[in-house]
Amino acid sequence: MPQGVLSYIPAILLYEAVPKESFVTYKNVLFLSVTILSGFALARWGRTERNADYLRVAAAGFLIGSVPLYFGITLWTVIMFMLLFSFVKPLQNNAYTSFYYKLSSELPLGARFRVEAVVLREVFTNAGRAAGVIALMITTSLAETAAFTWVLTIVAALQLLIGWLASPHFPKYQFIPERKLTRHESK
């Protein structure tokens, strides 16, 4: 659900700060350009072995980006949030996708499971987005209060869990424990 909320909150914030639709469209072009440049830099210099670090940096970027919103949802605070958000979003998306494909390739069926893994990923990703949108629809009264910024900060903080889950320090569990050979069986 945090992914779903973070997918739609930026546009809602921008419309909240500036009700003029043409201005919002021009700003979205600017933010999309930042996203494209960030994605290009990641594709050029990023390394898959640093995926957990990229996820943590993206989560920290979301948190830091939410700080200006505590001073009010104004044009400049939303622009600062959106610039940082647009910059770190490719870090999160690319690292998450790369980690997911690496993880699915390590499953017992390997490449034969890849199509099913992609379908399952899309189902759960879209379910999370839908849950986020439903949660926002239920709490629309928060959009005009300081509570909206708190919700955004909490959701951004939850993103820190993704970096921890993808890190090598996350405990690995085996569903079928390996059987240790006794001294007599190993001979």
Side-chain angles (χ1 to χ4, degrees), residues 1-13 128-144 147-153 155:
M1 187 165 92
Q3 287 290 331
V5 172
L6 284 176
S7 296
Y8 297 102
I9 283 181
I12 293 170
L13 283 173
R129 286 180 181 153
V133 170
I134 290 168
L136 281 174
M137 288 170 39
I138 292 170
T139 59
T140 54
S141 62
L142 294 177
E144 297 174 6
F148 190 70
T149 304
W150 281 101
V151 169
L152 178 64
T153 303
V155 169

Side-chain angles (χ1 to χ4, degrees), residues 2-186:
Q3 287 290 331
V5 172
L6 284 176
S7 296
Y8 297 102
I9 283 181
I12 293 170
L13 283 173
L14 204 50
Y15 278 108
E16 183 72 27
V18 182
K20 191 173 180 183
E21 196 169 327
S22 62
F23 185 77
V24 171
T25 303
Y26 294 131
K27 288 298 173 204
N28 277 331
V29 169
L30 168 71
F31 302 136
L32 183 59
S33 300
V34 171
T35 300
I36 291 169
L37 289 173
S38 175
F40 175 76
L42 181 63
R44 179 86 170 105
W45 295 291
R47 301 289 173 254
T48 57
E49 57 272 1
R50 308 248 354 232
N51 279 343
D53 296 331
Y54 297 147
L55 290 169
R56 284 190 286 272
V57 167
F62 294 143
L63 276 170
I64 293 167
S66 68
V67 170
L69 298 175
Y70 284 97
F71 297 103
I73 298 177
T74 65
L75 176 62
W76 295 109
T77 60
V78 171
I79 287 175
M80 289 186 335
F81 167 76
M82 290 291 290
L83 284 173
L84 193 53
F85 179 86
S86 299
F87 182 75
V88 297
K89 190 67 177 163
L91 281 175
Q92 184 189 49
N93 285 341
N94 292 353
Y96 172 70
T97 301
S98 173
F99 176 77
Y100 181 80
Y101 285 126
K102 178 183 168 284
L103 186 65
S104 66
S105 70
E106 294 172 357
L107 292 173
L109 294 176
R112 292 182 298 242
F113 185 66
R114 185 157 289 173
V115 173
E116 290 84 354
V118 170
V119 170
L120 284 173
R121 174 182 179 253
E122 290 303 315
V123 166
F124 287 112
T125 299
N126 290 327
R129 286 180 181 153
V133 170
I134 290 168
L136 281 174
M137 288 170 39
I138 292 170
T139 59
T140 54
S141 62
L142 294 177
E144 297 174 6
T145 67
F148 190 70
T149 304
W150 281 101
V151 169
L152 178 64
T153 303
I154 290 168
V155 169
L158 287 173
Q159 300 301 300
L160 290 170
L161 291 174
I162 295 173
W164 176 66
L165 291 171
S167 76
H169 306 294
F170 183 73
K172 306 265 188 271
Y173 296 103
Q174 290 182 331
F175 293 108
I176 302 172
E178 292 181 18
R179 183 174 160 240
K180 294 185 179 183
L181 298 176
T182 63
R183 199 167 72 185
H184 297 291
E185 289 176 322
S186 62

